[in-house]
Amino acid sequence: MKALVCDEPGRLSLAERPEPVRAEGEVLVRIRHVGICGTDFHIFGGKHPFLEYPRVMGHELSGTVEEAPPGSVLKPGDPVYIVPYLSCGTCQACRIGLTNACCNIRVLGVHCDGGMAELVSVPEPNVIPTGNIPLADAAMIEFLAIGAHGIRRGAVTARDRVLVTGAGPIGMAALLFAKARGAEVTVMDTREDRLAFARDRLGADAVLLADADAEDNARSLTGSDWFDVAVDATGAAPPIERGFGFLAHGARYVLLSVVRDRISFSDPEFHKREATLLASRNAQPDDFAEVVRQMQAGRIPTRALNTHRGQLADGVGLFGEWSRPEARVIKAILDL
């Protein structure tokens, strides 16, 4: 079968790989669409800290069932999406339901080869029917679920004033699911084109340019009350640290992004606000289900989010092109 392989940082190849053999309890899926996310670009750029090359990337996946276990409710030809987090089911985290934070987690396309290939074989519980959602849209469910999980972690309500920092795909997902809960949402980023997209296409109530005047502008915007919930999706330590200054008294601060670094903040300022700091990792089944519900209700502008499309066979050239800021990629999808 054909697979797009990252042989080493900065070098991709379209290679022939053996077809996977379905193990007991697994479903063999023919991949139809693969979403490309920041993790994939980090792997391509050599910036991912927990990865061995060569690697077949791809964890935002939809396809059709090729072969299922005897007695499975899944049948050949069924349209499905894949939950790419392979949890062990036995560790302390799994025992309390935190399969998204499994102590032994393997993520497709990161810890093991993923779905930028014609076929993958994964455990049956990780293969979910798409229902009436188009397969191309289903390839976006995973990144949207990460945003939905972060908003759930932040316990966002309709009375909240929410700040989302970082207007990449994950930040945009957080924006959409905060809006779905009725919150008033402000988006902050360094890129004016991303801010315009968040406001004009995704319904952000306000936008803030992350420049030297951001604090003054936020103070004016909120009447000096600041934000009830802040969500960081920047993937960088400096803006994470800066975000503590935007918290209202009693605020929740959700870190959707993770950095291989230490972060620091003023303990007196944090304490006087009685703020709460929350990590948000991957997503859980309820978050995937929430994404599907919102898609079915027509509240996710999938056509607007999917800005770039191409064929897997052209991926070697497209990856370099799409990784440039000038390409203005929101969500790129490779088709098979």
Side-chain angles (χ1 to χ4, degrees):
M1 68 173 183
K2 290 182 173 61
L4 188 63
V5 182
C6 190
D7 300 296
E8 61 184 16
R11 186 164 68 89
L12 300 175
S13 63
L14 190 67
E16 286 290 336
R17 287 284 187 94
E19 291 188 1
V21 177
R22 186 185 66 81
E24 184 178 354
E26 291 188 343
V27 176
L28 187 64
V29 178
R30 184 167 295 279
I31 299 299
R32 302 296 186 184
H33 305 280
V34 184
I36 298 175
C37 87
T39 296
D40 300 313
F41 286 124
H42 286 157
I43 293 169
F44 177 65
K47 299 177 182 178
H48 199 287
F50 308 118
L51 186 119
E52 294 182 0
Y53 297 90
R55 177 64 70 226
V56 177
M57 299 177 291
H59 59 274
E60 300 178 5
L61 309 171
S62 66
T64 53
V65 173
E66 190 79 0
E67 183 183 336
S72 172
V73 298
L74 297 170
K75 305 300 179 188
D78 284 352
V80 295
Y81 68 88
I82 293 175
V83 177
Y85 320 130
L86 307 182
S87 55
C88 71
T90 59
C91 72
Q92 181 270 343
C94 288
R95 291 197 302 271
I96 63 172
L98 289 179
T99 53
N100 58 309
C102 168
C103 300
N104 306 301
I105 197 166
R106 294 184 304 135
V107 179
L108 292 175
V110 180
H111 304 97
C112 56
D113 282 345
M116 288 189 187
E118 293 181 292
L119 293 162
V120 295
S121 187
V122 293
E124 185 174 7
N126 292 73
V127 182
I128 314 296
T130 60
N132 60 354
I133 295 173
L135 275 175
D137 292 352
M140 293 188 276
I141 291 175
E142 190 270 345
F143 93 85
L144 290 163
I146 291 176
H149 184 67
I151 294 303
R152 183 158 66 97
R153 288 283 286 153
V156 171
T157 69
R159 66 159 294 279
D160 287 325
R161 191 177 270 159
V162 177
L163 173 68
V164 176
T165 305
I170 300 299
M172 291 181 183
L175 157 64
L176 289 169
F177 286 94
K179 291 292 294 180
R181 290 180 173 225
E184 178 183 312
V185 185
T186 298
V187 177
M188 184 165 69
D189 199 274
T190 58
R191 287 177 54 175
E192 294 188 10
D193 62 311
R194 287 285 179 94
L195 294 176
F197 187 93
R199 181 189 60 231
D200 300 338
R201 306 297 298 274
L202 303 184
D205 297 286
V207 295
L208 286 172
L209 189 63
D211 58 11
D213 298 322
E215 281 80 1
D216 289 340
N217 292 333
R219 184 182 294 108
S220 176
L221 181 66
T222 63
S224 299
D225 285 339
W226 302 100
F227 295 95
D228 304 295
V229 182
V231 180
D232 180 86
T234 65
I240 291 175
E241 294 180 342
R242 188 183 190 185
F244 284 91
F246 291 84
L247 301 180
H249 283 244
R252 288 92 69 198
Y253 191 13
V254 181
L255 302 187
L256 267 179
S257 57
V258 59
V259 294
R260 195 179 186 183
D261 204 350
R262 291 181 178 272
I263 58 172
S264 62
F265 54 91
S266 168
D267 187 55
E269 291 296 325
F270 188 70
H271 264 79
K272 84 178 185 182
R273 288 168 169 76
E274 199 175 49
T276 302
L277 180 61
L278 296 155
S280 182
R281 185 182 185 192
N282 299 327
Q284 294 182 319
D286 287 350
D287 305 308
F288 283 85
E290 173 65 9
V291 173
V292 170
R293 283 192 294 269
Q294 296 297 337
M295 280 187 166
Q296 291 173 332
R299 299 192 185 101
I300 306 297
T302 52
R303 293 296 178 266
L305 291 168
N306 179 199
T307 55
H308 293 66
R309 292 282 284 277
Q311 296 294 316
L312 181 77
D314 301 320
V316 172
L318 290 174
F319 239 85
E321 178 184 334
W322 288 344
S323 63
R324 297 181 304 109
E326 296 81 8
R328 296 194 173 188
V329 172
I330 302 299
K331 177 55 59 178
I333 291 179
L334 292 173
D335 303 324
L336 284 77

